[in-house]
Amino acid sequence: MEQQSSILWGIAPIGWRNDDLPTLGADNTLSHLLSDVVVAGFQGTEVGGFFPEASVLKKELALRNLRIAGQWFSSFILRDGLEETAKAFDKHCQYLQDVEADVAVVSEQTYSIQGLHQSIFSKKPCFTDEEWVKVCQGLNELGRIAESYALKLVYHHHLGTGIQTAAEVDRLMANTDSVVHLLYDTGHIFVSEGDCMTMLEKHIDRIQHVHFKDVRKTVMEQCRQAGKSFFQSFLSGMFTVPGDGCIDFTKPYEFLLKSSYQGWIVVEAEQDPSIAHPLEYAMIARKYIDKTLTSIRSKESVY
Ligand SMILES: O=C1C[C@@H](O)[C@H](O)[C@@H](O)C1=O
Ligand SMILES: [Co+2]
C-alpha cells in the first residue's frame, strides 16, 4: 500500500474498546488491538483508557513497529479551576512524552452532555462570555504545558459540549494563542453542521491532528428525530469508518494534501464491537484509503 510520507495513518482503539462506555469490548486486550492495527496496515493508534504504564506499552509498540499519535484528555477548567486541571494535564503530558506521542487531545468537558441521557441534537450546553474567557485562557496555559513536553495541544470540538459548532470553533480559534492547535474531526462537525469542509478550509493553519470518522446519514436523521443521546446514537450505528458512510473523504483528503498537511490522520468510529467486528471495519477503512484516497496523489502525478 502507498503511504504519503508527510501523513501518518492511524486507527483509534475506540472500535475495539470504548472509553466513554467501558463495557463495550471489555474483553478485547491490548495485544489483540495492536496486532489488528498491524494487520490492517496502520502505523499507529491513540492511547485508550485501558492502556498500561509507558514502559509496558512501549515494548508492545516496538514489537509491532507501531507509534502512538496521542491521547484524549477531558479538561474541566470551569468546574475544577485551572490549577487542578493543569496539574492533571502535566501528568498526562509526562505519560505522552514517555510513549513518544505527538499530540495531546483536549476537550473541555464542563457541562458536557456526552455521557448523559439527553438529546445530543438539541441539548448541548453553551458557555457564557465570562466562561469563554476562562476556557480560552486556561487552554492557552495547557498549550504551553504541552509545548514544554514537546507535544502539541490539539483541541477536539465535540458534540454535546460547549465547543461543538463551527461558530464555537471560530470563537475558540480567535481567542486562543498559537499553542492551541485544532483537531479536525469529520464526524463531529458533520453531525453538527451537515458539512465538514468549511471548518477545514477556515482553520487549516491551526489543524495539527485529524480524525476521519464517517456518518450513516439515515441513522443520524433517525437519531435526530428520536432525540437520542450520544451513546444511544452511536449504539444505533450513527458512526462508522471512512468508506462505509455518507462523507466523501476525497474532498478533505485532497484539501489536506493541497495544504501540505503533515501529521496524523486517525480513523475513528465508535461502534459496538460485538456488532461491528473491529478488524473487519479496520479493513473496510484500509481498502477505502488505498483505493480511493492515497491513490489520489499518484493519479495526479501521472499528468
Ligand atoms: O476522539 C474522540 C474520543 C472519544 O472519547 C470521543 O467520545 C469520540 O467521540 C471522539 O471523537
Ligand atoms: Co474524535
Side-chain angles (χ1 to χ4, degrees):
M1 91 218 39
E2 192 197 333
Q3 305 276 6
Q4 263 93 53
S5 58
S6 57
I7 290 177
L8 294 162
W9 284 94
I11 187 158
I14 208 163
W16 285 259
R17 273 170 81 150
N18 192 303
D19 283 351
D20 293 335
L21 217 49
T23 47
L24 288 188
D27 294 338
N28 288 332
T29 63
L30 179 72
S31 305
H32 172 178
L33 157 70
L34 295 181
S35 294
D36 279 0
V37 171
V38 174
V39 171
F42 289 91
Q43 292 157 287
T45 187
E46 292 185 358
V47 174
F50 65 100
F51 278 30
E53 63 183 77
S55 59
V56 177
L57 177 58
K58 281 185 80 173
K59 179 170 179 172
E60 295 298 326
L61 293 168
L63 285 167
R64 297 169 176 85
N65 195 24
L66 289 176
R67 289 183 51 189
I68 290 296
Q71 183 181 13
W72 174 276
F73 177 82
S74 294
S75 68
F76 289 95
I77 296 167
L78 297 176
R79 188 193 72 184
D80 298 342
L82 182 56
E83 202 179 306
E84 201 173 311
T85 307
K87 219 158 102 190
F89 188 63
D90 197 276
K91 206 166 147 215
H92 183 85
C93 289
Q94 181 62 67
Y95 178 87
L96 287 179
Q97 188 183 54
D98 292 346
V99 299
E100 295 166 33
D102 298 305
V103 298
V105 178
V106 173
S107 167
E108 174 65 16
Q109 287 291 309
T110 304
Y111 313 133
S112 170
I113 61 154
Q114 192 174 328
L116 305 181
H117 287 292
Q118 291 182 20
S119 170
I120 199 68
F121 301 95
S122 60
K123 299 277 183 220
K124 76 173 282 312
C126 292
F127 298 146
T128 63
D129 289 347
E130 206 182 309
E131 287 170 339
W132 266 103
V133 172
K134 280 191 186 151
V135 169
C136 291
Q137 284 176 350
L139 288 171
N140 284 338
E141 183 53 31
L142 299 188
R144 284 187 276 277
I145 293 173
E147 277 205 345
S148 73
Y149 285 94
L151 293 160
K152 285 179 179 143
L153 181 160
V154 289
Y155 191 87
H156 197 312
H157 55 96
H158 203 289
L159 292 168
T161 70
I163 305 177
Q164 166 190 306
T165 66
E168 287 160 347
V169 171
D170 291 349
R171 187 166 180 175
L172 173 76
M173 291 294 98
N175 292 286
T176 48
D177 300 340
S178 58
V179 290
V180 177
H181 307 273
L182 185 62
L183 183 159
Y184 165 62
D185 186 311
T186 52
H188 282 277
I189 201 65
F190 185 84
V191 175
S192 180
E193 310 296 300
D195 154 67
C196 60
M197 287 307 293
T198 312
M199 191 181 98
L200 175 66
E201 287 165 358
K202 201 164 191 176
H203 296 296
I204 185 64
D205 293 345
R206 301 280 291 274
I207 292 170
Q208 290 292 330
H209 197 54
V210 173
H211 283 172
F212 268 9
K213 190 197 296 291
D214 209 345
V215 174
R216 294 188 179 100
K217 203 170 186 175
T218 329
V219 180
M220 176 184 77
E221 290 312 338
Q222 285 163 354
C223 293
R224 194 189 299 277
Q225 289 287 320
K228 287 193 177 179
S229 69
F230 185 62
F231 287 172
Q232 288 169 329
S233 299
F234 79 67
L235 288 173
S236 304
M238 182 166 79
F239 295 128
T240 184
V241 295
D244 190 44
C246 70
I247 297 179
D248 175 6
F249 283 88
T250 60
K251 291 195 173 75
Y253 183 68
E254 275 179 351
F255 189 79
L256 288 165
L257 285 185
K258 201 175 82 187
S259 313
S260 305
Y261 171 75
Q262 295 190 6
W264 288 91
I265 299 180
V266 176
V267 167
E268 183 193 60
E270 40 268 74
Q271 303 196 82
D272 181 346
S274 68
I275 297 170
H277 188 291
L279 180 57
E280 188 183 337
Y281 275 82
M283 296 304 291
I284 293 172
R286 175 82 268 155
K287 210 164 143 193
Y288 178 72
I289 291 165
D290 289 347
K291 286 231 166 82
T292 314
L293 300 184
T294 52
S295 58
I296 287 174
R297 185 174 272 176
S298 40
K299 267 187 222 146
E300 276 173 357
S301 63
V302 170
Y303 303 102

